[in-house]
Amino acid sequence: MKRVLALAILSLSFTSAAEAADMSIPQAYDWTGFYIGLNAGAAINNTQIDYDVNYSGTDPNIIDEVGSLSDSFTDNEGAFTGGALVGYNWQHDHVVIGAEADINYLGFSGSKTNDISGILNAMVDNPGTDVTGTKNVSYDADWFGTVRARLGFTSGNMLFYGTGGFAYGYMSGSGKIKADWDDEGFSSSNSRESVNWGWTAGAGVEYGVDNWSLGVEYLYVDLASADLNWDLSADTSDTQVNTEVSQMNVKGSVDYQFNVVRATAKLRF
């Protein structure tokens, strides 16, 4: 009788221990299905601006000064970014393959102004005239989106993944040259607005619980460039200024590149 009781107690102990062990091991999270979500974070700008002026005339003074009109600089501004996303995952064992698209606010803008009085004074026919002038280049990037593939590996409720695909976004660039002297002056400008396509790549991690997953993601985004190209012109009483300005051509480009670090929250169906 004691032997039977002992066997029964031992059997019950093993059963309870097995049940406890099952309860202590997290159940695998099922990542398959559609989802929608939101994201928010920071975008760190790495936009490159180049600006060149070409002169086809023969005036040696202007040739000496024309280099002052060319410039290049990188804008390292940081800005808030946030938006909405939608996607689908398919899971096989520990491998997850998916596709995701998003649309996001982006608050990048910048400008640079240079004094170009030297070259403008070289153009004016009257040596006693004091000419002041500026050259300005500016840009804006208001929003961007991505369409990406994702490939990941699961561990418990965690998903580690890499991602890459197309990027698109609004961008604008503008340039302006302005001169003033006495009651005279001129202004010449050009601008471009467009939705450009580029590429993006990155990586992230998500944790799934119930129908939700929370994550952190990094993306590098390159939206190509907005190009500016125009011939300068002036309409003043100084014939020499009009002639010399008409022999100048401006070429500029704004190459939009930035890094994104953001948090994500997704609801799965």
Side-chain angles (χ1 to χ4, degrees), residues 29-37 85 87-91 96 99-100 150 157 159 161 205-215 264-269:
Y29 188 76
D30 183 8
W31 294 91
T32 297
F34 287 98
Y35 59 86
I36 59 173
L85 55 87
Y88 181 84
N89 286 325
W90 177 79
Q91 181 175 353
V96 175
E100 185 173 287
R150 305 201 317 162
N157 285 38
L159 172 63
Y161 65 89
V205 58
E206 293 182 33
Y207 180 80
V209 55
D210 296 329
N211 291 333
W212 290 89
S213 66
L214 303 176
T264 63
K266 302 174 182 178
L267 174 62
R268 304 185 175 276
F269 298 96

Side-chain angles (χ1 to χ4, degrees), residues 39-56:
N39 70 75
I44 300 90
N45 200 358
N46 192 36
T47 295
Q48 177 76 30
I49 297 94
D50 296 299
Y51 197 90
D52 296 316
V53 178
N54 302 304
Y55 172 62
S56 60

Side-chain angles (χ1 to χ4, degrees), residues 147-159:
V147 180
R148 294 171 284 111
R150 305 201 317 162
L151 176 62
F153 181 82
T154 66
S155 178
N157 285 38
M158 303 292 292
L159 172 63

